[in-house]
Amino acid sequence: MQGNADAASDQGAVVNCKTVEEAVDALRKAETRWLVANGRSFGDGEAIKIAHALRSNTGLRELSLAGNQIGPAGAAALGAAVGQHARLKELYLHKNKFGQKGTESFAAALQSAGGAASLQILNLSKNGIGPRLPDNLCTPTLFTLNISNNDISELPTSLGQFPNLDIQLDGNPLASPPITIYERSGWSAMRDFLKEIEASERESNARVGLGSVSHMERDDALLSPARRALYEGRLGEAMSLAHRANCVLGGVGLSGA
């Protein structure tokens, strides 16, 4: 009976909007299930208005704002609204202008607002994301993440902890892990590779007892990335940067020349 009730609740209006006013009005209607406003040149201002209306909406299942001009401010507003929405299942935001900053803001807002309890599909392709995918972008309910055709060169090892997640990576200059793994064997092989890296880094960190980064005569421009790499568990990169910055990694006993 519950399945029939859920199916019935998914029946409702599909609204294709030309203006932000139409979108806001549609979100005020309980029967709206799918809202589409693709290619309308919406920017941050329009995205913020839609996000505000979405906060009081409880019935939407799918939202598509693809092919617009939404940047970091709009991304953050949408992340906060989607994060607290209990029923939204599909979100299409491809071909916008999030960039690295906007994607990080979107992910942080999404998680702090509640983590999007029902979100299953997220499309962020062609958004200028890079060089690194944010660690906190994925949620436990997510089945499909499309981040193709961005500028991503590094994936967080935490992605290996989502066994049900399928990620589309085509068109990224991925170096860590190398994109050839994905091209040869698909996402499942990439996920296993990330899990192995994460386990290896945890073991290395426990063995050497990593502490802080101390310094002698140092190059601060290199020290900051060395510290970040250290805290994120990328030991090899941290050690290499530390050598170049003439500093010591606490707990490792690595000194500069």
Side-chain angles (χ1 to χ4, degrees):
M1 292 298 292
Q2 182 62 46
N4 291 336
D6 289 342
S9 69
D10 280 343
Q11 302 301 313
V14 179
V15 183
N16 197 326
C17 305
K18 295 181 179 179
T19 68
V20 69
E21 289 78 15
E22 290 178 359
V24 169
D25 184 61
L27 288 171
R28 291 172 178 162
K29 298 176 181 178
E31 66 270 20
T32 301
R33 293 293 181 269
W34 297 273
L35 190 150
V36 180
N38 296 336
R40 301 302 181 187
S41 298
F42 288 175
D44 285 342
E46 289 83 1
I48 289 170
K49 290 178 181 178
I50 291 171
H52 181 74
L54 187 60
R55 284 178 173 273
S56 57
N57 174 281
T58 58
L60 198 69
R61 301 296 189 272
E62 177 182 321
L63 175 62
S64 184
L65 299 173
N68 285 292
Q69 305 292 319
I70 302 170
L78 288 169
V82 171
Q84 58 84 49
H85 202 287
R87 294 186 175 182
L88 189 69
K89 295 181 179 179
E90 302 181 23
L91 182 60
Y92 301 92
L93 297 172
H94 48 294
K95 297 183 181 178
N96 276 286
K97 297 183 179 299
F98 281 22
Q100 181 70 24
K101 179 180 178 182
T103 307
E104 290 174 353
S105 297
F106 174 85
L110 184 81
Q111 298 295 345
S112 64
S118 297
L119 191 63
Q120 298 177 0
I121 298 174
L122 176 60
N123 191 334
L124 292 175
S125 66
K126 296 186 178 181
N127 258 290
I129 304 169
R132 191 173 194 271
L133 192 72
D135 294 87
N136 55 347
L137 181 61
C138 295
T139 65
T141 61
L142 202 62
F143 290 156
T144 301
L145 174 64
N146 188 339
I147 50 172
S148 62
N149 298 297
N150 281 293
D151 299 312
I152 300 168
S153 59
E154 183 181 355
L155 295 177
T157 57
S158 58
L159 288 180
Q161 303 305 313
F162 294 91
N164 298 320
L165 179 63
D166 181 61
I167 299 183
Q168 298 170 32
L169 292 168
D170 309 85
N172 283 289
L174 199 62
S176 177
I179 190 64
T180 51
I181 297 175
Y182 177 78
E183 292 172 341
R184 286 197 305 263
S185 305
W187 169 246
S188 60
M190 182 75 87
R191 182 183 60 236
D192 291 343
F193 188 82
L194 288 167
K195 287 173 67 176
E196 290 177 7
I197 292 175
E198 186 174 48
S200 176
E201 289 176 347
R202 281 201 306 266
E203 181 180 349
S204 295
N205 291 348
R207 184 172 61 250
V208 301
L210 292 179
S212 61
V213 179
S214 60
H215 60 87
M216 299 176 294
E217 292 183 3
R218 69 190 192 191
D219 182 342
D220 287 330
L222 292 174
L223 180 59
S224 180
R227 182 182 289 112
R228 178 179 177 184
L230 177 64
Y231 289 164
E232 292 180 353
R234 292 178 280 121
L235 181 58
E237 181 180 348
M239 293 172 69
S240 175
L241 288 166
H243 267 304
R244 292 164 58 194
N246 291 323
C247 69
V248 177
L249 294 181
V252 180
L254 172 66
S255 59

